Amino acid sequence: MAKTHRTHEAATIEMFQRDPELAAEYLNSVLADGDESDLMLALRSLSGAFGGVQEVARQAEVNAHTLYRTLSEQGNPELKTLSSILRAMGM
């Protein structure tokens, strides 16, 4: 019997896709205990569960290149952009 495997990232994305409330809890935890770079990393991870950065950008009505830059470790998004991203993720 062949074993299938997937990366931790792929398993996490699948888990967030199946349970958006868990995704929201994860984000709340990062907001409570993390810093700005933790938040950007969390949003990058969550974007995968919501169709990827391109799809989140489309739904948030922001340029995909801008969103990639916004979610980078050096990203410094405006509150308006963060709100748009979260709305696009259903949060």
Side-chain angles (χ1 to χ4, degrees):
M1 184 165 142
K3 289 186 178 182
T4 59
H5 77 287
R6 57 189 169 173
T7 65
H8 179 272
E9 181 179 357
T12 301
I13 287 170
E14 186 178 308
M15 190 171 48
F16 288 150
Q17 286 172 332
R18 283 195 316 260
D19 190 354
E21 286 184 22
L22 179 62
E25 288 176 23
Y26 167 63
L27 190 57
N28 283 335
S29 175
V30 170
L31 287 168
D33 300 328
D35 60 18
E36 289 177 26
S37 63
D38 294 332
L39 178 59
M40 295 301 102
L41 178 61
L43 288 172
R44 277 196 309 272
S45 296
L46 286 173
S47 70
F50 293 92
V53 172
Q54 295 269 348
E55 178 60 18
V56 170
R58 186 187 67 75
Q59 290 185 26
E61 299 178 354
V62 297
N63 179 285
H65 180 72
T66 300
L67 185 56
Y68 278 110
R69 192 175 46 229
T70 296
L71 297 180
S72 74
E73 289 183 24
Q74 295 80 28
N76 188 15
E78 295 179 1
L79 183 56
K80 177 182 174 183
T81 304
L82 275 177
S83 294
S84 295
I85 294 167
L86 294 173
R87 260 194 318 279
M89 293 181 182
M91 295 185 206

